[in-house]
Amino acid sequence: MKQPSRSFEIALSAIACAVAALGLTLGSYVRFLLAAGYLIAVFALMVPLAKGHVLGYCLAFAGASLLAFLFTGFVLGIMQLLPFVAFFGLHPLANYFQKKYVKNRLLHGGIFLVKAAWFDLSLWLAWVVLEGFLGFSEMTWYPFVSEHFFLILFAGGTAAFALYDLMIFFCQNAADGAIRRIGR
């Protein structure tokens, strides 16, 4: 198979960066589209990885994060983009390395636990930032939720992450199949 040129990698990464930045910006301005904006950005960033362009992925991730931050402003940008920068944007790269280099099934379970802890800590970080910006500490919560916050966050986060991680693996396989048809 012929090695793709650097200009192809740059063009593919630039397109992924533009689509990811657009998804993140749109998701930040239209509240109910925030999750969809994250997913559009994650799917767009999978495109360079489908061709094995790790450096192109890193540049597209950094460019999309920076552009979305510039388009959304400081306060809105930090609040809306922190989960993407801390976890969702880097997760496809972790899956790429796991899929490429890890062959032992037992090691896959250990890597899943590390990624689940990373996801839970990202949720906690987003909560701490949102709590400081929006003053959630002064709000009254249901007594059960306030007493068992960390249990709900970590158990619910890990359960949701298991489904999310499986779906992202399937989506990366679909992206690999679709991008494989590009002749470069």
Side-chain angles (χ1 to χ4, degrees):
M1 185 168 124
K2 185 177 126 180
Q3 181 68 20
S5 67
R6 283 305 235 191
S7 60
F8 177 73
E9 179 178 2
I10 291 169
L12 197 63
S13 300
I15 292 169
C17 175
V19 171
L22 182 67
L24 289 172
T25 303
L26 182 65
S28 292
Y29 282 118
V30 183
R31 289 264 192 218
F32 67 91
L33 292 179
L34 183 62
Y38 281 3
L39 287 177
I40 289 169
V42 167
F43 293 156
L45 291 175
M46 285 181 188
V47 172
L49 287 179
K51 283 293 194 181
H53 301 310
V54 175
L55 180 61
Y57 170 85
C58 292
L59 291 174
F61 169 72
S65 301
L66 183 63
L67 285 172
F69 179 74
L70 290 173
F71 291 153
T72 56
F74 183 73
V75 175
L76 181 66
I78 285 180
M79 291 189 318
Q80 301 291 337
L81 299 176
L82 181 67
F84 179 79
V85 172
F87 178 77
F88 291 105
L90 297 172
H91 182 250
L93 185 63
N95 280 356
Y96 173 78
F97 285 134
Q98 180 182 356
K99 184 178 174 183
K100 186 172 183 177
Y101 295 114
V102 177
K103 303 299 180 202
N104 186 352
R105 286 200 169 273
L106 187 58
L107 200 52
H108 279 287
I111 291 173
F112 170 77
L113 292 176
V114 169
K115 289 190 309 186
W118 176 29
F119 178 74
D120 292 340
L121 289 174
S122 299
L123 288 178
W124 177 75
L125 176 66
W127 171 257
V128 167
V129 169
L130 287 175
E131 183 181 37
F133 274 125
L134 301 178
F136 281 163
S137 59
E138 299 165 2
M139 293 180 68
T140 338
W141 289 93
Y142 295 106
F144 178 78
V145 173
S146 61
E147 290 173 12
H148 299 55
F149 175 73
F150 288 106
L151 176 66
I152 292 170
L153 178 74
F154 292 122
T158 303
F161 174 72
L163 180 63
Y164 176 77
D165 192 42
L166 181 67
M167 291 297 140
I168 290 298
F169 269 118
F170 288 149
C171 290
Q172 183 66 54
N173 287 339
D176 291 348
I179 301 300
R180 191 176 304 124
R181 297 183 203 131
I182 297 177
R184 293 196 173 227

